[in-house]
Amino acid sequence: MALFQATITITLRSAILDVQGKTVEHALHALGFTTVQHVRIGKYITLELEATDSTEALSLCNQMSEQLLANPVIEDYTVTIEQLHR
Amino acid sequence: MALFQATITITLRSAILDVQGKTVEHALHALGFTTVQHVRIGKYITLELEATDSTEALSLCNQMSEQLLANPVIEDYTVTIEQLHR
């Protein structure tokens, strides 16, 4: 078994209104950052896991995302895997 | 002025206990993902902004992060800039 570092980003689908992003956008405008637009706020998850190879690590992360981390109805996710050497 | 896409990730500093991450880690263990460890949950922000060049775009994003997006006392942030061609 090898140790892998996974980075999972979870973002609202583009068709879904991002209320938190809109709020931050208005706050940035109020602070003088007037050219800012299309602010979207998602989650950035990092974790370590053991797997036999990177294919299994990726598969496990996809399962975690589907079952717990993301809401597949309104969110998209990406997974990046990197092997850690101990 | 050119249009830039910025990606800002905001993570809790490693010395700060990530309560949300710990909770998710326990939930993943309960679901059978028993080798998962060191779960950390941060924010993943994307936005578009206008600037004269990528140096100014990066500088603006650093200012936004310091003033509003991140809490510099307990969080670190990274900014990635990419020029959009319209």
Side-chain angles (χ1 to χ4, degrees), chain A residues 30-72:
Chain A
L31 285 171
F33 302 103
T34 50
T35 69
V36 171
Q37 58 184 355
H38 301 315
V39 179
R40 309 283 292 175
I41 300 185
K43 294 193 203 96
Y44 181 82
I45 301 175
T46 59
L47 55 84
E48 291 175 18
L49 79 164
E50 290 191 352
T52 52
D53 55 28
S54 63
T55 307
E56 194 201 5
L58 185 61
S59 168
L60 285 168
C61 288
N62 283 333
Q63 289 173 46
M64 289 181 220
S65 301
E66 295 280 343
Q67 289 179 35
L68 183 76
L69 304 177
N71 177 347

